[in-house]
Each structure stands twice: as structure tokens, then as C-alpha cells.
């Protein structure tokens, strides 16, 4: 190629142009050397300069320290991490009352976490779809609400954990990240197994005992009297008074400045990574101006 160009220029007897060609050739080499030096510097951190194709190490030039990039946070719902937030959670479902609770959350642009029982998953597939379609989170609450501290063998314990994920994965292409033990019962063996299964263990910090009182007003009053930033609130989406309480609670909590997020959102937006086998009942409340 270069020879042909040179021949062309010779034919035209334009010697000055040959100089230009030589200069261009030199420029191409210089650029190539620059690219080479750049790639070497990127690959191992030290700066090397290409000389006749052989890199030699040159002193590292002191560079201005760049600020650490902020880790990307998945926050498509406009939640402000610098404002109060709490997580409503619903256990023991799904049930026919799950729908009304999801609709209330949807109406108020709020989300919650549903800790489902694996043995209810096949009967409530549409309810689970409704939960997921409205950006709520599903956690596992075991297969059949057994007290996991009373399991005789590791196999029995795993039989309460693994089939829940398998059912949700198979029927909804969804794998729950979080686990809530039935009755909140846990011991070292349960936590060790949940650790090996990759499950953070989620408790609660506000308990209106909705399953016991079955009274809308008592549930609403208890939550409003006790809630603070970072709280995880325990309810059950299998009782009608609870669904009625949620319809009042969601707007009342938002009026008090609380953003209602899923448990995973609460952790992520506060920069906390929940660890497998570790028990969390809430996040520490922040101070707001
Ligand atoms: Ni339960």
C-alpha cells in the first residue's frame, strides 16, 4: 500500500509529498505507540511507554484522586433515602384478603413484603401474580408454618425451606431473597441452615397482634403509636380486619411522612446488605431535620 503510494508520487515527481507521506507514517506509529502505552497502563496500573515496540517502565505520574463512585441503587419509585421509611410485612398468606391489601398499596403508590407459606402457593397463584405485578416483594415463611426449632433432622428443616423457593420459581419465575421463620422461632441450627441456604432472616419491630385482636381500630392505633423510621411492621394478610386496617394505615402513615417500601428496598436504600443467616428486626432509625 505504502509502496504503491510512493510509486504514484514518484511518477508525479512530487518529492515534497513523499515527505508528507513519511510524516504521516511517523504519526501513525506515534498514535499506535500511544494506544499501546495507554492499554499497558490500564492493564496493570503502571505506566509504560512503547519504544520501538518494546515497553519500558516509566515513573508513575501522580494523579488527582477521584472520588469513589456512588454505588447504583435500584430506586425506580422515587423513594427519598433521606426521608423516613418503613416496611409493612404480611405473613401466612396468600389469602382472599391479599387482593384488597395489594389494591390499597397500589392506590397509594406504596409497596410491602408478603412472607408466604409454600403450601398456599399452588392455590393462590393469581394473588401472587397480583402481589408481584404491583412491585411488592415476596419472602418465604416456610412451607407449612412449622416451628423450625423443633425439626428432628436437617432434612426436615430443609423440607420447610427449599420447596417454597421451588414452587415460586416454577410457577412465578421468582425466587424469594428473604426468610421469616414461623412464630419468629429460631436457634443456632436454624440460622446456620438459613445461612447455608443464602437467606437473611427478617423479624419485626412493631407487632399490633392483628391475629389476636382482629380489630381494625386496635391495629391502626397500635401501629401509629409505635412506628418509627426503619421499622418492620408485622401483620397477616389472612384477616379481614387487617385488610381494613391497612386501608386506613397506609394513607395515615404517608401523612406522617413515612415512605412505605419493601424490606429489600429498605435495606438497599439505607445501604445495608442483609447477610444470609443473620436476623434483622429493623434498621436503626435515622435523624431527620
Ligand atoms: Ni406466621
Amino acid at each position: 500500500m505504502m509502496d504503491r503510494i510512493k510509486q504514484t508520487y514518484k511518477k508525479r515527481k512530487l518529492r515534497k509529498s513523499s515527505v508528507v507521506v513519511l510524516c504521516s507514517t511517523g504519526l501513525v506509529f506515534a498514535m499506535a505507540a500511544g494506544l499501546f502505552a495507554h492499554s499497558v497502563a490500564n492493564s496493570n496500573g503502571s505506566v509504560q511507554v512503547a519504544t520501538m515496540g518494546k515497553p519500558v517502565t516509566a515513573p508513575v505520574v501522580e494523579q488527582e484522586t477521584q472520588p469513589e463512585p456512588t454505588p447504583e441503587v435500584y430506586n425506580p419509585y422515587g423513594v427519598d433515602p433521606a426521608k423516613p421509611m418503613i416496611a409493612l410485612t404480611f405473613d401466612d398468606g396468600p389469602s382472599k384478603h391479599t387482593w384488597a391489601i395489594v389494591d390499597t398499596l397500589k392506590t397509594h403508590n406504596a409497596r410491602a413484603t408478603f412472607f408466604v407459606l409454600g403450601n398456599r402457593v399452588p392455590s393462590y397463584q393469581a394473588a401472587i401474580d397480583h402481589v408481584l405485578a404491583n412491585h411488592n416483594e415476596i419472602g418465604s415463611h416456610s412451607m407449612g408454618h412449622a416451628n423450625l426449632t423443633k425439626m428432628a433432622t436437617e432434612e426436615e428443616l430443609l423440607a420447610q425451606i427449599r420447596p417454597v423457593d421451588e414452587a415460586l420459581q416454577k410457577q412465578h419465575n421468582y425466587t424469594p431473597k428473604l426468610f421469616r421463620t414461623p412464630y419468629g422461632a429460631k436457634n443456632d441450627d436454624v440460622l446456620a441452615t438459613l445461612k447455608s441456604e443464602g437467606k437473611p432472616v427478617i423479624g419485626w419491630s412493631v407487632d399490633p397482634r392483628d391475629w389476636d385482636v382482629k380489630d381494625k381500630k386496635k391495629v391502626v392505633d397500635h401501629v401509629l403509636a409505635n412506628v418509627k423510621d426503619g421499622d418492620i411492621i408485622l401483620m397477616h394478610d389472612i384477616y379481614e380486619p387487617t385488610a381494613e386496617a391497612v386501608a386506613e394505615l397506609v394513607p395515615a402513615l404517608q401523612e406522617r411522612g413515612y415512605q412505605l417500601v419493601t424490606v429489600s428496598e429498605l435495606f438497599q436504600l439505607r445501604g445495608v446488605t442483609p447477610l444470609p443467616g443473620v436476623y434483622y428486626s429493623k434498621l436503626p432509625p435515622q435523624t431527620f431535620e
Side-chain angles (χ1 to χ4, degrees):
M1 175 76 173
M2 207 55 83
D3 286 345
R4 273 181 60 193
I5 293 169
K6 280 178 185 170
Q7 281 170 6
T8 309
Y9 279 120
K10 268 185 182 174
K11 277 179 189 170
R12 290 180 185 174
K13 296 178 182 177
L14 291 170
R15 285 183 183 177
K16 276 184 187 175
S17 296
S18 297
V19 175
V20 173
V21 170
L22 285 172
C23 287
S24 305
T25 310
L27 184 63
V28 169
F29 274 112
M31 285 169 69
L35 285 171
F36 182 67
H38 183 69
S39 63
V40 169
N42 278 349
S43 64
N44 65 9
S46 71
V47 177
Q48 295 185 328
V49 178
T51 308
M52 300 299 284
K54 289 180 182 174
V56 291
T57 305
V60 174
V61 179
E62 201 71 39
Q63 290 195 347
E64 205 178 317
T65 313
Q66 296 291 318
E68 284 285 312
T70 312
E72 208 164 307
V73 170
Y74 180 71
N75 182 14
Y77 309 110
V79 178
D80 187 346
K83 288 183 177 165
M85 63 179 92
I86 55 173
L88 300 183
T89 64
F90 299 95
D91 288 12
D92 299 357
S95 84
K96 61 181 181 180
H97 302 297
T98 306
W99 293 83
I101 291 171
V102 171
D103 288 343
T104 296
L105 294 164
K106 180 184 182 182
T107 300
H108 297 280
N109 189 30
R111 290 164 307 289
T113 304
F114 294 78
F115 288 97
V116 303
L117 291 175
N119 63 14
R120 298 178 76 97
V121 168
S123 310
Y124 289 94
Q125 297 208 35
I128 289 173
D129 285 338
H130 195 49
V131 167
L132 293 174
N134 289 288
H135 316 291
N136 299 287
E137 177 168 16
I138 288 185
S140 174
H141 193 42
S142 85
M143 201 58 192
H145 215 275
N147 184 332
L148 301 185
T149 66
K150 309 276 193 223
M151 300 291 98
T153 62
E154 172 88 0
E155 285 67 37
E156 256 187 61
L157 183 49
L158 288 172
Q160 285 292 326
I161 300 169
R162 290 183 176 170
V164 186
D165 288 14
E166 287 161 10
L168 286 167
Q169 183 57 46
K170 189 179 167 196
Q171 291 161 12
H172 303 276
N173 194 28
Y174 184 93
T175 303
K177 289 194 201 80
L178 309 174
F179 195 94
R180 173 174 280 162
T181 59
Y183 315 103
K186 58 189 188 305
N187 58 20
D188 289 349
D189 287 343
V190 170
L191 292 179
T193 298
L194 287 167
K195 183 179 182 181
S196 66
E197 293 296 299
K199 301 292 189 196
V201 186
I202 306 301
W204 58 86
S205 51
V206 176
D207 179 5
R209 296 178 66 85
D210 61 330
W211 57 273
D212 183 20
V213 298
K214 295 197 186 71
D215 181 288
K216 175 184 79 169
K217 190 175 184 307
K218 282 180 181 168
V219 171
V220 171
D221 289 350
H222 181 95
V223 173
L224 293 180
N226 291 280
V227 68
K228 59 189 180 308
D229 175 63
D231 270 335
I232 297 173
I233 295 157
L234 172 65
M235 288 183 277
H236 300 78
D237 55 326
I238 54 173
Y239 305 113
E240 192 168 8
T242 298
E244 292 168 358
V246 170
E248 283 190 21
L249 265 177
V250 167
L253 288 165
Q254 288 179 329
E255 227 167 81
R256 285 161 171 76
Y258 291 108
Q259 304 173 99
L260 305 185
V261 298
T262 68
V263 174
S264 284
E265 286 169 1
L266 176 67
F267 278 82
Q268 194 182 26
L269 291 164
R270 286 282 158 81
V272 177
T273 303
L275 302 173
V278 176
Y279 174 80
Y280 303 87
S281 63
K282 62 178 177 179
L283 288 186
Q286 307 287 298
T287 310
F288 303 97
E289 293 175 7

